[in-house]
């Protein structure tokens, strides 16, 4: 069955796209890539009755393929015309799924929209005075921790009899 997929894929590719690339998958299926439309079609064996599983997906930036978004099963004996029809239907579904949804005009939607936020006022540049206060605060904190540590060590040393 997989030997019959290559001729079918070759004919199908000619019908679908003028510019295409055909290659074999690891499982014996065939892939038709249409780089100019950023889409791919995959033909694979579906069961033992001579059916072909057709999947369609997107080609992402950089040439990698996204997982299949649509899929159908068609008998291989149906011919190129029916396979092409099924592929065009999948590609149309794929195109409509890839487009952003159109906004709906509901009365509630306009009420729920928030007004755009006003830009924040720029902060005044930091002066040397605030930086100096921050450094002084750190120094006082370190000195306090050091004093507590020295007191604890002195108490511990005294309790040992030293």
């Amino acid at each position: 069955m997989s030997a019959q997929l290559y001729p079918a894929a070759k004919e199908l590719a000619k019908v679908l796209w003028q510019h295409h690339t055909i290659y074999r998958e690891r499982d014996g299926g065939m892939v038709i890539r249409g780089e100019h439309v950023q889409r791919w079609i995959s033909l694979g064996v579906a069961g033992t009755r001579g059916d072909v599983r057709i999947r369609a997906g997107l080609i992402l930036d950089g040439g990698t393929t996204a997982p299949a978004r649509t899929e159908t099963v068609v008998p291989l004996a149906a011919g190129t015309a029916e396979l092409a029809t099924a592929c065009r239907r999948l590609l149309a579904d794929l195109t409509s799924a890839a487009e952003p949804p159109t906004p709906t005009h509901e009365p509630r939607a306009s009420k729920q929209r928030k007004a755009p936020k006003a830009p924040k006022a720029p902060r005044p540049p930091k002066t040397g005075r605030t930086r100096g206060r921050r450094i002084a605060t750190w120094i006082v904190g370190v000195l306090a921790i050091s004093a507590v540590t020295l007191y604890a060590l002195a108490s511990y040393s005294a309790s040992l009899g030293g």
Side-chain angles (χ1 to χ4, degrees):
M1 175 69 185
S2 61
Q4 298 171 349
L5 285 179
Y6 181 72
K10 197 171 182 180
E11 290 177 29
L12 185 60
K14 288 178 186 176
V15 172
L16 292 176
W17 300 309
Q18 287 182 345
H19 306 288
H20 57 270
T21 305
I22 301 174
Y23 62 90
R24 186 176 303 276
E25 290 182 304
R26 290 182 189 152
D27 64 355
M30 301 303 297
V31 176
I32 307 167
R33 288 176 63 111
E35 297 288 340
H36 62 290
V37 291
Q38 297 294 305
R39 305 286 188 263
W40 60 266
I41 296 282
S42 170
L43 304 175
V45 178
T48 58
R49 299 182 315 214
D51 291 339
V52 177
R53 182 179 66 178
I54 303 173
R55 299 181 307 150
L58 298 172
I59 298 175
L60 304 174
D61 293 336
T64 60
T65 57
R69 290 195 177 183
T70 57
E71 175 176 323
T72 189
V73 176
V74 177
L76 184 60
T80 306
E82 190 170 331
L83 288 173
T85 302
C87 289
R88 286 186 182 115
R89 191 175 330 115
L90 291 177
L91 291 170
D93 291 345
L94 184 66
T95 303
S96 65
E99 293 176 353
T102 57
T104 58
H105 298 288
E106 296 179 8
R108 291 186 200 167
S110 62
K111 291 180 183 178
Q112 291 177 351
R113 290 185 186 146
K114 294 181 181 178
K117 292 183 178 180
K120 292 183 179 180
R123 290 185 177 179
K126 293 184 179 180
T127 61
R129 182 179 286 178
T130 56
R131 187 172 183 188
R133 286 182 184 164
R134 188 175 299 150
I135 291 172
T137 303
W138 274 97
I139 291 173
V140 169
V142 169
L143 288 174
I145 291 172
S146 299
V148 168
T149 305
L150 286 174
Y151 177 76
L153 286 174
S155 298
Y156 180 71
S157 176
S159 68
L160 289 177

